Amino acid sequence: MVLSKYSASGNDFVIFHTFKKEDRSSLAKELCDRQNGIGADGLIVILPHNEYDFEWQFYNADGSVAEMCGNGSRAAMHYAYTNGLAPKKMRFLTLAGVILGEVEGDVVESQLTKHKLLKDTFEEEGFEWKLYDTGVPHLVTISSIDKFDKALAKKMREKYNANVNFAEVKNSKLYVRTFERGVEDETLACGTGMCASFLVARDLGLVEDEVLVYPKSKEELTIRLNNGRLYFKGKVKNTFIADYKCNDL
């Protein structure tokens, strides 16, 4: 099995394409294991589609299925374009809906599915939160990212079955730390989490319709809101290609 390893703002993914659609939860756990596998935050499987350029199956590191992943969408589009599976401007199908995007060199912009406010401002554990769905559900509190508390994030994640984000605005720029479902830990970046954090900061009048955002990896990305849709842009990197010994394609 020929696999590609990608990094998108610190989120890392194993990607391959195939014609066979099946449950690959066990394979995702094997490949994403950082001690006994390749190591990644998620597995992306690219499949052909009759209407769109392709569709994907996305698995978290624990083998669970995720409807959407912002950084994963950018990595998948770069992989699809590089491997001749899609043009520079493309559309592909996720469980959250159709994603549009464009590849320009190592920079990829993704238009996310339409976001939804699931729960307006509420106070819990000494913080004010909002719950947005930007493809997957995200709890967001605007505070200091230095107040990020992994134990608290885990507690809120389990209670609300959502990812948890601590975000801060400094000098008109957005800084975000995220505890992700499926990884069950803080990750170096989360695209849908940064987008949800942007929406909350914008609701509070702290940012305009376009902002530079920095996850824990400190890589710079751009998020913008245009005609009610979120656009998310940044660099991706194909770190290596490997022939992995596994029969499950």
Side-chain angles (χ1 to χ4, degrees), residues 2-3 9 43 50-51 88 99 102 158 172 179 200 212:
V2 178
L3 304 172
S9 310
L43 170 65
N50 290 331
E51 183 176 355
K88 282 190 174 182
I99 301 297
E102 183 173 2
E158 291 173 349
S172 301
F179 185 95
V200 176
L212 294 177

Side-chain angles (χ1 to χ4, degrees), residues 131-191:
L131 180 60
Y132 264 103
D133 187 326
T134 50
V136 289
H138 281 274
L139 282 164
V140 178
T141 182
I142 303 294
S143 182
S144 166
I145 56 172
D146 292 334
K147 293 183 179 179
F148 180 89
D149 183 321
K150 191 181 293 188
L152 172 59
K154 185 175 187 298
K155 180 178 179 181
M156 295 293 287
R157 173 263 179 274
E158 291 173 349
K159 180 174 180 179
Y160 290 93
N161 191 27
N163 302 277
V164 181
N165 305 269
F166 283 67
E168 180 177 2
V169 178
K170 294 187 290 187
N171 301 319
S172 301
K173 298 176 181 179
L174 182 64
Y175 298 82
V176 182
R177 294 180 67 178
T178 305
F179 185 95
E180 283 201 60
R181 292 188 313 180
V183 180
E184 303 308 329
D185 202 347
E186 182 179 12
T187 54
L188 291 177
C190 175

Side-chain angles (χ1 to χ4, degrees), residues 43-62:
L43 170 65
I44 297 171
V45 183
I46 306 291
L47 296 153
H49 194 275
N50 290 331
E51 183 176 355
Y52 305 105
D53 293 302
F54 62 92
E55 68 174 305
W56 82 358
Q57 292 176 303
F58 185 93
Y59 296 92
N60 293 312
D62 66 355

